[in-house]
Structures are given as structure tokens and as C-alpha cells.
Amino acid sequence: MAAAFPYTHYACPCSDLTSTAPSSISKRISNNQPANADLTDDRTFNPHDPRANCALYPLDHLLFCDECDAIRCPKCWTEEIINWYCPTCLFEVPSSAVKSDGNRCSRNCYTCPACTAPLAVAAMPQPAGDYLKPTEPATEAYMLQCGYCDWSSRDLDVLFSKPTKITEQLAKQRKARLGSSGKEASDKDAKPNPVGHDTAFGSLTTFYKAQLSESGDAQNQFANSPYSSPANLQRIMNIYGGLSANTLKKSRETPQPMREARDSNEGFSTYTPDPVEHEATVISKLRSLSWEDTTTTEQRLAAPPNNYSRFADQLWPVATPLRTRKGKRCETCRHLISRPDSKVSHIRYKIRLLAMNNIPRIFMRPLHLPNPPPPNAAFRLRADDAVQAELQPNVAQQYILTIRNPIFETIKVTLATPGTTPGNVASRVTILCPSFPVGPAGDVWDEALSSSTTPASASNDGSRKAAMASLTGKAPEDADRQPEAGKVWDRTRNSTSVIVEIVPGPLKAPPSIVPKTEAELADQALDEDDEVLEVPIYVRAEWETVIDADAFGPGAKDDKHHGRQGEKVTKELAYWCVLGVGKIAE
Amino acid sequence: MAASPSPAADYFAGRPAVRTRPPPAVLGASHRAAGTPGSPRTPLLGRSISSQFGTPGSFRAEQEEHVIYELGARHLSAGFAGESRPRCVMRFEPESGRRVGDYRGYEPNHTQKRNRRKKGDDWGAEYELYRNDVRALDLGLVEDKLGRAVRTVHANHLQLDQKPRKAVLAIPSLLPTPLLEIALKVLFNHYTQPPSIMLLTAPILATVGAGLRHALVVDVGWEETVVTAVGEYKEVFQRRSVRAGKMLTQEMSKALEEQAKKDAAMETVQVDAELAGDVTERMGWCRPRSDTPKNATLETAKRIPLPGHPSKSVTVPFSKLAEPAETALFATNATAAELDDHDLPLHQLAYNVLLALPLDLRAICISRIVITGGVSKLPGLKHRLLQDIQHLVETRRWDPIKHYGSATTHHQRVLSERNANISARKQRPPDDGIPLSPAKKPIQDSVPHSERLHDDIKDPITFKAERHASQGKAKDDVKNEVRGVETLGAWAGASLVASVRVKGVHEVEREEFLKHGLRDGDHVY
Ligand SMILES: [Zn+2]
Ligand SMILES: [Zn+2]
Ligand SMILES: [Zn+2]
Ligand SMILES: [Zn+2]
């Protein structure tokens, strides 16, 4: 994955893929099981399954509903738009104008159709000679110009008479262009040019509307049907669907409710097998142009006007698409779980229930840090800076797995993982101590004092301690300690660490004596990401809580399923997560 | 624009106070635009605007608006009824299947890594949402991908408010039921919650989009080419062939790889589905039937850069870029014996469908050939297809038997006799009335009208009546000649249908679907 190792991705339990728990939550596997045993076990979440990509998220993308006590992901929250705004000029667009403007900024914000950089309005350079001729006032002309590539609206022969109201001027010019091509077609009836898509659409719409009202009126005159105006609807319904006996009778009465379109004024255009000029010109243009003169898929799909632009000189400037501010609700209980400030200029949130503050977090780091230790991910500038050592297959590695508790109760955590990782490469995984308690989070100041504030550095607890140890002159007790099965490795106030042993599997099957067929070889070919060692872990946390209005925020008080105030309730949270350990060497 | 303020823009913007100031001032500008003069520093603009215009629907009786979706094997288009183009076209590609926060697709040297993927049956699999063989399909994955695409479409392009809107879903005809069910499930479960979804099939919509009631729709898609005869907006007859976009890109890949091999100093170049598709879309073309394959005078060479290798490129003669269409779509290099029922070349397929139609519908359809689908945009394809169909019709007429074997000579004789008869009849000067011997003619004139010899078919009154009757519907109906009709495509067709407020019978109600799923009666397709 693109993220630097080690990383943790969390799965929301809302899909059938991620909701199932492994067969026995306390399953501890240390024996060598045949690799297939786990592949057949459907209940193991496989991070290499293509579906997993749609289910896994970095923790900061997930929200939490404190009414349902459940993780919420884009699949199980609903969104409602609070406001629409242009990301370039920050103008808030009233909701009534959003759709008619095509969900794009109607002011002067345009992006380059060739490279998507913002466009600026620039004056046309005047030919040098004109400055010296005072005879006529220089006609001002402006154009849209890209600051990044050399595209400008001059390529389209689009110039503006004034530097403001670009959108209106642009719309006028486009309309003029489309209109002229439509007229041309109706002039020469014998060999019609292709009518523009939009023109044809317009004519067809008028045609169909006229036909529908005509045939509707006609029927009203003689057939005094009980339902006068829905009658034509009824009849059209028959056209699109099956015919019942009754409607069949009716359609016989008026066999031709609608005729076909006949000429280009009605949006109808035909072609014959004889070679036609415009197609020949497209081909000869294609023949003469180079690869760079044709449009890319991205350019074509960037905006509807460019959908049919085959050549780069047909690309129309792209109005900046609007962005939205969205409130998010839990799909189950409709409770707001995220609501930004409604003002565009404010970036704060009024409500934002992050999963990060509500579910146990998991970090992983190697027990024996490589020498020298890699710099903290937060200080990395480029992805390449992290020269990450590849994992040697079949060599056991030990890792410290740290569970951090963000809530104010002591939680009982149970971890489960398949003995061998699912997927094409089978690595063995053993959690030495899969069940343990984690202490409660204190108030903000306790936390700030006991560990550093950035979440990433939480994984460095051990090294901080080592640093402390070296300062105090004491020999670090970690140095000669051996991991023991069933024992917790390390414990701080609200985090607990255990040891995981991982034996990366070999990427290639051992060479066999029997020569393999091509199909078998192709079968063995690895997919992208198969060499990435990812360990799925099922985390289950259990805690008891006293119903207290303050501890669970407003709203919890009047909620029925929390029980009466002062009563003890057992709560439970379980989810799959995936630890990215590293890449296995070939 | 704010990101790269060019001096010219500042100078000519006409709102100097705005352009030269940091963001708060820009907000002030919007203030002015809204007609409320005020201090440019007031950041309260958002509120003042929304209080003025922020309540839609209360004062404007909004007509019911429909959201139109078109689902294809490789794309999802969405937009609003009454508009000529979809607001967005989402293509399914490997990048759209990545994890949140995985931006590898943007890394410059990324394509190289991907080349390791398998070929063969899997060709282009990452670029499609589904294939028609549902047995080998991970339906859960299809649902995930589609759900993600629908969410992206709504978040980035449609951006609708909470009002429920009916939806129209355009689907390929005979879309496998499990896939249709998934599509409906995803749309109904999306938070916009459409109260109902109208289902329409692509061939019908292409017919509507061409302004026709009857048509022969040739839909050259990704996995298959589907030829459908449409009569009175109903699918009458349909045949399929695997000669379509997928095969075309595969041939393009082969052609490019061959070409690269010819350029000596190059190691083997693998052209993946993405590049091959790109080349087909940008540079592929289709030569007319009569064109000589080697048109040396006009030959130009095209340099096609290989992604991932900034300096490397393949140089292909332009004529070579037309060959994939020849082999993949028209099978010019295959003999009739090699062709199976499932991979007939397009013109043959269209001909077979026409052949299976009743005579009168055939006569109508042959003049209403509607070519649509993604590959139909290939320059030259439409005319080439018409030319080939015409050629087939001229050489074989409407004879279902292709080879008479030993009876060939006999058959040809019969044919030529028939031909002679027909041409003789044609050449006869048109005379009004029944041929009567000159001797009888005066008698005919003197007989009372009611007792004259009468030919119903050639009677001038019958003619007149027929002409009159047909005047209303089709006075210059073209029949029996090969003719193509342009269509706006399935999406625009659906937009038309919804905008003129035609009510479809195949409408799936939300409550009904969520309770019972697809009913038996629902899948008419
Ligand atoms: Zn979820
Ligand atoms: Zn803007
Ligand atoms: Zn540019
Ligand atoms: Zn909830």
C-alpha cells in the first residue's frame, strides 16, 4: 500500500465481508497448519481480497455513532449537503442555482481543459505596430490563459470583449457555434452535416413534446375517455410496456399516437453507405495530427462539453466544479455524527465523532529496531525516504503490538488472527498473549503529560522509555528480556503491548522436480500487492460502564437502551483491522 | 485563478479591490455581486445569501426531476432528465478500486509495476464492473464497486439536496438478473433514497434518441455487440457477437506489440489493456470498404509514447491503426468456416437479424440502422458497417441459404430468371389502369362506371386513399434502402423519455423492492 509500513487499516463491520468474527475468538494458533485450512475458512477477513479495498480505511476516515456504539464508514452514514461553494473563489452558491449552473462556478473560475491548472484572464497582446497608430482606438480583447501549460482560449478562437462576466460571454460564444452548425445542416437537406449533439437533443425534445400533446388532443376530441389528460400517458405506457387487453383495444382505436421524427429540425439525421465528407475529414485530420493533439480520457471526461472532443483544439475551458460541506448522519439512528460549521470560511466542526476517540487503536513496531532506527514517519518528506528493509521469508520476526484505549473505562481486549495469513502468500502469525485488559484514558492533561501528543509517536513509547533509561544510567531492562507466551510485554496507563511472532511466507513455491505447465505457472504469478505482508486481526473490546449522563455526552441520558442512570452495562465493540507489516523479499 | 494571479488578471479584473486582497476580500466581492453593498471585510456573506435564496421549492413549484443513470460494463453515467449530456461519466478502472488513502496510481512510475498482471481471459478485467458470465463473478465486489461509484457521483457531481427524486436506470438489454438486482439495491440503498426506479433498456433508448419507433440497433459495446430489431419501441429480435470493444483493444495490443518488436533495438513491450484502449480511442480508425489497404501516398507514422517509460515510444504507421478494427469487428482475414455463431462479424450479425425479421419490418428496419455503443465513435466505423451490410444485401439478397452446394447452378438460374422478370416488370412503362387491348378500350369507356373491369390494387382511388392514409404518419418513409440514423445514445434517450414525462411500466418501487426483491414479473428483459 502507499502508506508507510507499519500501518493499521480498520474495517467497518457494516458489510457482510467484515462483520463476521473468526470461528473462535480466543483461537490461538501456533501449530503449523496447512495453508489451505484457513483459505477455506470463509470467516477470515482476507486483506488481499479485492473487496477488502472497499472496506478498509485509515482510522481518521472513520466516524463513530455513540447512540449505536458502532463504527460508521461512508457506506453506513448518510450525507446531507449544508452548502455549496466554489473552491477557487470561495463564493457560496445558493442551492437554487446549483443545478442550473451545472454544479460549477458561474463566476470567472475556469480550469485548463488540457492540464487542469487554473486559468487566468489575460489581455490579448496587441501587435506592436498598433501602438503607434492613433487612428483607431485599440479594440480590447481578452482571453483565458493557463499559467502552467501553453493552452489559451485563443486555441479555440474564443476571445472576450471584456474581462468580466466570462461565463456569460463563453456561453454566448458556445451557443453561437452550436447554432451555426445546426443551421448549416438544415440548409443542405440532401447531405446533412452531423447536427450537434445538443442541438439535436433540443429539437428531439420539442418534437416529442409536440407529438405527445398533439396525439393527446386528438384523442380527447373523439374518445370521451373517462380520464382525459392521463389518457395519453396511459397510451404511452402501453408503448413502453406490455399490453393488457384493455389497453390493446384502446391502442387499436388510435394506431399512431406518435410518428417518427422526419428531418433535422426534429433532431433526425441520417447517413448512407456512401462515403461522407465529414467522416473523411475526421480521419484525414487524425492522419495528420500527432498523438499529443488528441485528447486523453481524463480531458474528455473532465466536463460534459468536452465529452465528444476528439482533438485537443476542441477542448472547451472547464468551469470549476463546486465543492460541498456535508453533515453526516448515522444511517441506523439518524443521529448527527459530523457537522461542519456552515460558514465556508470556517473550517471547524460543530459535531465530529471520530472513531479514533472511541475505539481501541492498534500500533505495531518491530521488537528489535533496525540500526539506525528509521526516522519518524512524521518527518519524512518523500515516500522514497523510507528505505524500508524487506522482510526475509521464513525468518521469524517479533513485533510489539500496542493497544491504546481512548475511552474512560478499563477495557478487556481479545485479539484473534488466523494462524496463516490468507491470500497467495502464507505467513505464520502468532500472538503470544491474545487476551488482556487495557487501562482507561485519563483526562486530557494526564494524557498530555504521560505521552506525547501526536498519535504517531505513541508507537514510540518503548524508545522513549529506552531514552529515559539511558538518561538515568540504568541498563534498559528490555535488552535481555525474552518474550513469553501468555504474558503482557509492556503496560502504560491506557495502553498495553503484547508480542506477535511473524514468519513471512516465501513468495514462490519451492522449485519442484516435475516441470510445470504454463497454466500452473500463470496460476502462481503474483498479483500486485501479494508481496505485501498484511495481518488481519479481529479486535474485540468489552467494558462495563455506569450510565452517566456526563461520561457519554449529551443525548445519552434520554436514550432507552442505555438503561437507567447509575446502572452498570456491559458494552462490546468488535471489528477487523489489518496490520501492514512490510514487503516480503523475493 | 486565485492560485496563480497573473498581473493581467489583476489589472483588468474590474474589481481591483477584490483581486489584490487576501481571501476575506474575495468574500467581499461576492457580497457586491449579490447586490448588497457592504464592508468587504464582513465574512457573513454566506448567511446573507442563503437567507435570500436558500429556500428552494418554497416559492418555486419545482417539477418532478429525475436522476438518470446509465450502467455499462465499464462505466456509470449520471445526470438529470432534460439535459443532453450526463453530468459525469465514471469509468471503472484499477485506481477506482483502491483503498482510501492509497494514491499509488498517481505515482509516475506506477504503470510499470502493473504490467505484471495476467493476460488472456482476464484482459481488461480491472477496467470492467461486471461481465455477462455471472458465475465467475464476485458479486459482492461488483456491489462494492458500484456503491462506491454511486457515492462518488453524488458527492462530486450531482450534489443533490435531501429531496427524494425518482430515478431512471438505463441498462443493457438482457443484463443478468443478479446484476440488475445489485444495481437496484445499490441505488435504493443510497442515501438519496429514490422512491422508484424506472428501468429502460439501451436498444429502446437508442431508438428514442434517434427519433424513431422502429430501428435496427447495433450496439457495439465492450464485451459484446448486440444487434436488436426494435419495432414499435419493443425489442423484437436480438443476436449477439463477441466482436466488440474488448476484442478490438486486444487486437490493438497485438498490433502495437508486433510493431514494437519490429523496431529492432527494443526489448519486448507489453501493451496492457489501458494503453491499448487509449490508443484505440485516440488514434484508432476504420477504413472504408473500398479503400486500398496500402495507401502509400498518404501514409504517416504515429509516435505513441509508452506510459511509465518517458523516453520510449512505439512508432506505428497510420494504416496499421485501422487493422484491429478489420480483424476484430469485420473479420476480414477469417473465412466463413472459421466463424462461429457467437463471433460473427458485425455486418453478418446485422444481416442475420434482418433476415429473421418479417418482411415489412425488415423493409422498415434496414433504412433505420442505428449504430451506438462506445466503439461506434471509432471514426469511419458507421459507414463501413453500412457499406458491408449493403454489400451483403446486394450479393445475397434475402436468401437464408448461403451455399447451395451442388444445386448452385440451378439456384442461380432460378435467380437470374426471377431477376429478369423483375427487371422486365420494372421497365414496363407505367400505365394507368389495366392493360386492355385497344379493341376493348372504347368499350371500357362506354360501360357504366360500376360495371367496368376493376383492379383493386392498381385502382387510382385506392392509391389516393393509401396516400392519404399514410400522409399523417409517414409521407416519405424510406424503405428498403440501407440507411443509417444518428442517435444521441442511451443516456440522452433516457433523459428524453424522462423529460417528456412518459411513465414507464417497468418501474420498481422502493418499498416493494426492499421487501421482496425483484419480482418474477419484473424481469421482462
Ligand atoms: Zn460502515
Ligand atoms: Zn469560483
Ligand atoms: Zn494548462
Ligand atoms: Zn447510530
Side-chain angles (χ1 to χ4, degrees):
Chain A
M1 298 286 114
F5 298 107
Y7 58 80
T8 315
H9 287 163
Y10 297 76
C12 174
C14 66
S15 87
D16 53 341
L17 188 75
T18 52
S19 56
T20 45
S23 43
S24 71
I25 182 77
S26 54
K27 182 161 94 179
R28 265 194 65 196
I29 312 107
S30 50
N31 320 346
N32 315 350
Q33 283 177 337
N36 287 337
D38 276 295
L39 286 177
T40 51
D41 185 3
D42 282 337
R43 284 184 288 182
T44 295
F45 177 70
N46 178 4
H48 291 293
D49 186 330
R51 281 191 72 189
N53 282 348
C54 296
L56 289 169
Y57 299 87
L59 188 56
D60 47 356
H61 283 72
L62 293 173
L63 296 174
F64 190 83
C65 175
D66 57 3
E67 295 288 309
C68 309
D69 280 318
I71 303 174
R72 289 289 171 245
C73 72
K75 275 188 224 173
C76 55
W77 71 51
T78 66
E79 298 180 345
E80 50 193 55
I81 294 174
I82 293 168
N83 53 25
W84 292 259
Y85 66 96
C86 167
T88 310
C89 63
L90 290 183
F91 181 71
E92 187 185 330
V93 181
S95 68
S96 54
V98 169
K99 195 190 149 199
S100 53
D101 292 347
N103 294 62
R104 284 165 193 275
C105 183
S106 60
R107 309 175 83 232
N108 293 345
C109 306
Y110 283 90
T111 55
C112 174
C115 72
T116 70
L119 293 177
V121 182
M124 271 287 285
Q126 298 283 333
D130 285 3
Y131 290 117
L132 304 173
K133 283 183 205 159
T135 47
E136 50 178 302
T139 47
E140 287 186 348
Y142 303 90
M143 59 183 179
L144 283 170
Q145 199 172 34
C146 176
Y148 182 76
C149 67
D150 54 3
W151 187 92
S152 83
S153 62
R154 252 165 110 190
D155 302 358
L156 285 169
D157 280 331
V158 169
L159 296 175
F160 308 101
S161 53
K162 52 185 184 203
T164 51
K165 295 195 173 159
I166 297 291
T167 303
E168 282 162 39
Q169 299 186 58
L170 207 55
K172 213 179 280 171
Q173 300 213 20
R174 184 162 177 90
K175 210 170 180 186
R177 254 172 226 212
L178 291 176
S180 72
S181 76
K183 221 167 261 165
E184 248 170 63
S186 57
D187 283 348
K188 323 178 225 166
D189 275 337
K191 278 272 158 67
N193 268 345
V195 183
H197 180 90
D198 301 299
T199 321
F201 185 86
S203 339
L204 264 181
T205 312
T206 13
F207 164 71
Y208 277 123
K209 282 196 172 143
Q211 283 299 308
L212 275 179
S213 62
E214 236 171 61
S215 56
D217 289 345
Q219 205 196 23
N220 286 347
Q221 281 167 6
F222 55 88
N224 45 1
S225 95
Y227 13 78
S228 53
S229 87
N232 59 349
L233 275 185
Q234 186 85 16
R235 203 171 50 244
I236 302 310
M237 231 161 84
N238 307 332
I239 294 164
Y240 285 94
L243 292 168
S244 71
N246 185 27
T247 51
L248 198 68
K249 218 191 296 163
K250 217 177 281 162
S251 70
R252 259 192 228 115
E253 284 167 9
T254 49
Q256 283 282 2
M258 230 160 66
R259 62 174 175 83
E260 298 185 322
R262 271 197 299 251
D263 55 40
S264 59
N265 288 330
E266 294 171 347
F268 182 72
S269 72
T270 58
Y271 49 94
T272 53
D274 316 320
V276 178
E277 221 169 276
H278 76 266
E279 232 176 24
T281 49
V282 169
I283 293 179
S284 64
K285 192 172 178 187
L286 201 59
R287 197 191 296 269
S288 61
L289 289 177
S290 74
W291 175 253
E292 286 75 20
D293 293 326
T294 55
T295 54
T296 65
T297 314
E298 290 80 28
Q299 287 169 351
R300 259 172 280 137
L301 299 186
N306 291 339
N307 282 356
Y308 302 106
S309 307
R310 179 175 283 281
F311 302 109
D313 58 5
Q314 296 166 343
L315 288 173
W316 204 255
V318 177
T320 308
L322 299 182
R323 300 259 176 88
T324 53
R325 282 282 169 87
K326 292 187 281 267
K328 284 159 191 161
R329 287 178 189 277
C330 166
E331 197 179 43
T332 321
C333 67
R334 312 291 302 157
H335 182 66
L336 263 175
I337 50 177
S338 165
R339 187 179 169 81
D341 200 303
S342 60
K343 281 173 217 125
V344 173
S345 53
H346 291 196
I347 54 164
R348 267 177 308 152
Y349 282 84
K350 283 180 174 159
I351 303 169
R352 202 180 190 198
L353 299 167
L354 289 171
M356 169 179 331
N357 301 328
N358 291 283
I359 68 169
R361 298 185 70 173
I362 298 184
F363 313 97
M364 183 189 237
R365 65 189 170 89
L367 177 61
H368 305 290
L369 282 172
N371 245 343
N376 188 318
F379 295 106
R380 246 174 348 105
L381 293 179
R382 287 184 297 271
D384 306 349
D385 282 357
V387 184
Q388 288 171 340
E390 292 188 323
L391 305 169
Q392 290 307 311
N394 297 322
V395 176
Q397 288 275 343
Q398 284 166 337
Y399 293 87
I400 301 172
L401 198 67
T402 307
I403 315 287
R404 199 149 164 271
N405 179 10
I407 64 172
F408 299 99
E409 315 286 339
T410 300
I411 57 172
K412 237 174 75 193
V413 173
T414 315
L415 303 176
T417 180
T420 46
T421 55
N424 288 343
V425 177
S427 306
R428 276 184 289 128
V429 183
T430 315
I431 300 177
L432 293 189
C433 176
S435 187
F436 48 85
V438 185
D443 69 36
V444 188
W445 286 111
D446 286 353
E447 213 171 337
L449 291 172
S450 65
S451 74
S452 52
T453 42
T454 59
S457 65
S459 60
N460 291 344
D461 271 2
S463 55
R464 196 165 46 82
K465 209 167 272 177
M468 283 290 284
S470 67
L471 277 177
T472 50
K474 256 198 284 177
E477 51 170 344
D478 290 7
D480 49 345
R481 236 178 94 192
Q482 283 304 310
E484 263 178 276
K487 284 262 173 78
V488 163
W489 176 254
D490 192 14
R491 184 171 278 159
T492 67
R493 189 172 46 73
N494 69 333
S495 75
T496 303
S497 303
V498 294
I499 297 292
V500 185
E501 211 169 76
I502 299 174
V503 185
L507 291 188
K508 287 180 192 126
S512 73
I513 307 152
V514 190
K516 282 183 175 159
T517 63
E518 204 150 302
E520 275 177 312
L521 281 175
D523 217 34
Q524 281 188 348
L526 290 173
D527 271 344
E528 183 184 36
D529 287 341
D530 263 357
E531 76 277 13
V532 176
L533 174 54
E534 288 191 317
V535 180
I537 290 187
Y538 189 74
V539 183
R540 186 168 168 278
E542 217 181 57
W543 68 95
E544 286 195 328
T545 182
V546 179
I547 295 303
D548 174 34
D550 297 334
F552 266 82
K557 202 200 295 189
D558 42 57
D559 197 65
K560 286 165 218 136
H561 46 259
H562 276 296
R564 278 194 313 278
Q565 197 161 341
E567 200 175 294
K568 273 202 169 181
V569 200
T570 305
K571 292 199 175 182
E572 187 197 319
L573 190 70
Y575 55 90
W576 279 102
C577 65
V578 167
L579 298 173
V581 183
K583 281 189 176 164
I584 302 175
E586 299 236 350
Chain B
M1 208 184 280
S4 71
S6 92
D10 285 343
Y11 185 75
F12 287 109
R15 289 192 303 266
V18 176
R19 285 287 157 199
T20 48
R21 274 186 215 173
V26 176
L27 277 171
S30 350
H31 231 306
R32 193 188 288 183
T36 37
S39 151
R41 297 215 173 265
T42 329
L44 296 173
L45 167 88
R47 193 194 286 156
S48 75
I49 286 293
S50 47
S51 64
Q52 270 183 349
F53 305 105
T55 46
S58 58
F59 57 91
R60 191 153 61 118
E62 190 81 42
Q63 293 143 329
E64 199 180 12
E65 50 182 15
H66 289 78
V67 181
I68 316 264
Y69 302 93
E70 184 198 344
L71 183 67
R74 293 182 65 202
H75 74 277
L76 173 76
S77 327
F80 300 112
E83 294 184 1
S84 65
R85 298 160 190 237
R87 284 291 174 88
C88 65
V89 181
M90 296 270 303
R91 295 235 181 153
F92 295 100
E93 45 189 15
E95 299 315 319
S96 53
R98 292 211 186 278
R99 281 185 204 171
V100 175
D102 181 354
Y103 302 115
R104 255 177 316 175
Y106 299 98
E107 283 173 21
N109 55 351
H110 180 69
T111 359
Q112 256 171 316
K113 295 181 201 159
R114 204 168 47 214
N115 280 351
R116 246 176 25 186
R117 289 188 180 238
K118 298 164 206 160
K119 299 188 91 187
D121 268 359
D122 265 353
W123 178 258
E126 307 101 23
Y127 295 89
E128 52 194 30
L129 173 67
Y130 64 84
R131 40 187 62 183
N132 282 332
D133 185 2
V134 194
R135 286 166 302 174
L137 209 60
D138 182 353
L139 291 175
L141 182 62
V142 174
E143 192 181 331
D144 284 349
K145 275 189 186 172
L146 189 61
R148 201 183 241 201
V150 170
R151 281 197 301 276
T152 315
V153 161
H154 277 275
N156 295 349
H157 301 280
L158 300 186
Q159 303 177 329
L160 291 168
D161 54 23
Q162 295 304 101
K163 205 166 46 169
R165 288 166 176 84
K166 289 189 173 179
V168 178
L169 176 62
I171 48 170
S173 66
L174 287 179
L175 182 75
T177 314
L179 292 173
L180 178 59
E181 219 160 331
I182 283 176
L184 288 174
K185 193 170 147 198
V186 166
L187 291 180
F188 276 129
N189 281 333
H190 185 257
Y191 57 76
T192 47
Q193 308 214 331
S196 75
I197 297 176
M198 194 203 299
L199 290 174
L200 294 165
T201 60
I204 306 287
L205 292 174
T207 312
V208 173
L212 297 172
R213 303 171 63 81
H214 323 268
L216 183 78
V217 180
V218 182
D219 186 347
V220 195
W222 168 246
E223 204 180 345
E224 284 180 324
T225 294
V226 184
V227 178
T228 316
V230 174
E232 292 293 338
Y233 298 122
K234 278 200 215 68
E235 293 174 12
V236 178
F237 190 78
Q238 192 171 65
R239 281 289 173 269
R240 290 150 184 266
S241 164
V242 294
R243 294 185 180 274
K246 193 166 172 177
M247 199 185 240
L248 181 65
T249 51
Q250 236 164 336
E251 286 297 330
M252 183 61 88
S253 161
K254 262 186 229 162
L256 291 177
E257 277 170 12
E258 245 169 56
Q259 192 66 36
K261 214 177 275 175
K262 268 190 220 161
D263 299 355
M266 202 96 78
E267 73 256 49
T268 46
V269 173
Q270 278 206 350
V271 179
D272 63 356
E274 184 179 13
L275 179 60
D278 204 25
V279 174
T280 315
E281 269 177 21
R282 292 170 72 166
M283 279 278 166
W285 62 291
C286 188
R287 63 170 73 97
R289 188 179 164 76
S290 53
D291 201 21
T292 46
K294 290 277 177 255
N295 206 340
T297 48
L298 284 164
E299 190 64 285
T300 50
K302 300 287 173 198
R303 223 189 107 265
I304 293 165
L306 297 172
H309 318 256
S311 57
K312 270 202 232 165
S313 62
V314 184
T315 310
V316 195
F318 187 63
S319 65
K320 185 112 184 160
L321 292 168
E323 251 145 55
E326 296 287 314
T327 25
L329 304 179
F330 298 101
T332 40
N333 54 353
T335 61
E338 288 172 34
L339 296 173
D340 227 338
D341 260 0
H342 75 286
D343 66 349
L344 288 176
L346 304 193
H347 53 287
Q348 184 71 50
L349 189 70
Y351 174 83
N352 285 3
V353 171
L354 284 170
L355 198 57
L357 293 181
L359 248 162
D360 48 348
L361 186 58
R362 182 198 298 162
I364 293 172
C365 278
I366 195 162
S367 308
R368 286 165 182 72
I369 299 178
V370 170
I371 304 171
T372 180
V375 181
S376 69
K377 287 183 202 133
L378 200 72
L381 177 81
K382 289 183 183 175
H383 284 97
R384 171 61 188 276
L385 189 49
L386 283 197
Q387 285 167 349
D388 278 9
I389 293 174
Q390 189 171 40
H391 177 77
L392 260 185
V393 172
E394 273 165 8
T395 50
R396 286 189 42 201
R397 300 222 161 61
W398 297 113
D399 194 340
I401 301 155
K402 205 188 279 181
H403 297 294
Y404 282 87
S406 56
T408 309
T409 45
H410 169 73
H411 176 71
Q412 272 170 351
R413 208 181 57 235
V414 172
L415 263 187
S416 61
E417 273 167 19
R418 204 196 292 166
N419 263 1
N421 279 345
I422 291 168
S423 54
R425 220 182 296 157
K426 270 189 189 157
Q427 275 161 15
R428 202 158 46 187
D431 46 5
D432 21 357
I434 312 136
L436 295 166
S437 71
K440 275 191 176 174
K441 204 142 194 169
I443 308 172
Q444 175 80 1
D445 284 340
S446 56
V447 177
H449 199 270
S450 54
E451 285 168 29
R452 283 181 196 174
L453 277 173
H454 194 76
D455 183 340
D456 280 328
I457 298 164
K458 291 205 168 171
D459 182 58
I461 297 164
T462 317
F463 271 142
K464 205 171 170 189
E466 270 178 6
R467 222 180 300 136
H468 192 74
S470 63
Q471 217 158 33
K473 38 182 184 177
K475 85 185 138 195
D476 51 355
D477 256 5
V478 183
K479 280 186 181 177
N480 278 325
E481 75 180 61
V482 178
R483 186 186 69 167
V485 179
E486 297 280 359
T487 180
L488 299 174
W491 193 92
S495 172
L496 274 172
V497 169
S499 69
V500 296
R501 284 164 226 294
V502 170
K503 194 165 156 33
V505 153
H506 302 303
E507 206 159 299
V508 186
E509 299 289 333
R510 179 187 168 75
E511 301 300 324
E512 194 90 331
F513 178 80
L514 293 181
K515 230 181 275 168
H516 308 289
L518 262 190
R519 292 278 190 78
D520 280 349
D522 281 337
H523 43 231
V524 192
Y525 309 101

